[in-house]
Structures are given as structure tokens and as C-alpha cells.
Amino acid sequence: MPGGDAREAAKTVTGSLEDFPFLPELPARGPGADMIGRTAGLLVELYARVEPSGWRIGDRPGRDTKRARSWLGEDLDALEEFTQGYEGDLKVQAVGPWTLAAALELRNGEAALSDPGACRDLAASLAEGLRLHLDEVRRRVPGARLVLQLDEPSLTAVLRGQVKSASGYRTHRAVDRQVVEATLRDLIGVHAGGPVVVHSCAPDVPFTLLRRAGAAAVSFDAALLTERDDEAIGEAVEGGTRLFAGVVPGTDGPLSDPAGSVMGVRTLWRRLGLRPGLLAEAVTVTPACGLAGASPAYARQVLAHCVRAARSLADNPE
């Protein structure tokens, strides 16, 4: 979300999305509130600090780790305030293990992705950190059913060997798909009994791999889909995987009418030959990616627009 006021963000989210609020992230506050820094603050027995090149793993918790944890505490306080008595789905999100490994640097300046042992340590630390984080959210909002979202925008690049080295002149070797899948399966298992969504707003989302890893839903930018994705999406839907379809632009601009926003989803459904009545059960309407680059007014408008577009999809599936 845009801005830096935790209470205002929590108020907006809980007021706009009465059936599916989420814990807002406010990266405009600076390092530690950004996507990577926030998740680095969740790690157990691993710490990170900000260097000119980005976030780097260090030996001890410094001011950057403390700042990340302080802002997360502020956000949780605000969420707790505006969810008194709430019962229903509540989404929390963190960066997934592979995007984190591609973004966090080792002491030598190379990505953790370059070292299989570092990747394993990072995934184990993240798993423990997520357990503690989910327990804390449950304590603060006891009536909620938690939905965990893992943000993996670098996943395709990791699988294809497209993550650049520190020098920028070469790329790190592609990680074996079975290793990627097994690591994600272990992370997803942390939220035992609760649904996990894997989000990527990059092209060529590996739908089949994510299904096999146990993701209950896949979140994506619908504008980046091609007909090459049709078979994998059809199999996912028929296998019970939910789609978080990013159909509303995340930065300021004119919005179409709600029915127009989900026209592409209806077209996809017809192309796949799926039952129209399944649409409301299988699709959640979302912004294409995060709203951090939007104005506060536009972000509020988008959340309300998503609700109306979802209603349109449910009322008129054909």
C-alpha cells in the first residue's frame, strides 16, 4: 500500500475488503519496510543489513533489522485495532525462499542463490520466522483464518538461470526444478491446515510446479498470460487450485467499469471450456501487483473496484 501511516492503511484495507482484509506493507517508509527488508526482519538466527548494493546477510541484528521489526510491530498493532471481533479470512504475506535467495547478498556480495547451503539455511530460517509470525497474528486476531501469501516475483528467473551475478556480466546457474519445488513444499507445510497463495507478477508463472508444491492458489498479473498458459491454468482449476487474477492496474490511471475489468477472465474461461458457474468459486479478483506505487486515493478506489468486479463475475459468470 502507498504512504507511511499504518493506522490509515489498516483502516482502508479493513473498510474496503470486509470479507478478505490483509496485513498492509508500506515500503514508502524506507529500508526495512520494503518487501525484502520486511521479510529479512522475520528471519530466525539470520540477520541482514542495508549496503549500497542492497540487503546483505550479517552476523548480528543491527539497526536495519530492528527497524524492520519495529515497523512490522506497528503494522500489527494497527491491524489488531481495526479487526476487533473479526472472523473470516485474513491474508498475511512474506517473500518466498527463492526470491529472497535471489535478493539477499552473502558476505562476498553475491546472491545467496549462488550457494546451495546458504539457500537451505535461508529457507529453514524463513520457515521458523513464518511460524512465529503466523502465531503472533493468530494471537492478535483470534477469529481469523489466516491465508499466507508467498511473494515469488523472481521464481521464473531462478528456474531459468536469469538472476544476474554481482558483476552483472554473468548469471547464476538455474536451480533444479525438483529442489525449487521441494523447498516451496516445505515452506508451504509451515502453514499446516491453512491455505497458501504463491504470487508472481512476472511472465511465465510456473503454475504446474506451484500446484505440485501444494499451493492452494496462484496469484498473477492477468495481462501477462499467453495462450501457452492455458493448459496449465485449466489443469489447475480442475484440480481445485484457486486463481488470484490480477486484472486491475496497480498504478494511477482510468479504470474501466467493473464488468470490463473481468472480461478477460470470462474470455479465458470460455477458451478453456470451463463451467461458468465455477468462476466465483475459483477466481479472486485482485490488483495486477502491489499498490505501493499508487496514490492513496487511487489505492482506495482500486480495492473498492476489485470488490465490484468480483461481484460482477459472480452475478454474471457468462
Side-chain angles (χ1 to χ4, degrees), residues 254-276:
L255 291 172
S256 70
D257 65 290
S261 290
V262 290
M263 191 183 301
V265 178
R266 289 194 180 96
T267 302
L268 171 68
W269 231 245
R270 284 195 292 271
R271 200 164 70 226
L272 295 176
L274 293 168
R275 182 168 55 84

Side-chain angles (χ1 to χ4, degrees), residues 5 15 45 76 182 188 192:
D5 186 327
E45 295 182 5
L76 286 168
I188 287 168

Side-chain angles (χ1 to χ4, degrees), residues 26-41:
L26 302 173
R29 291 181 296 198
D34 61 297
M35 187 173 84
I36 299 299
R38 186 179 182 89
T39 299

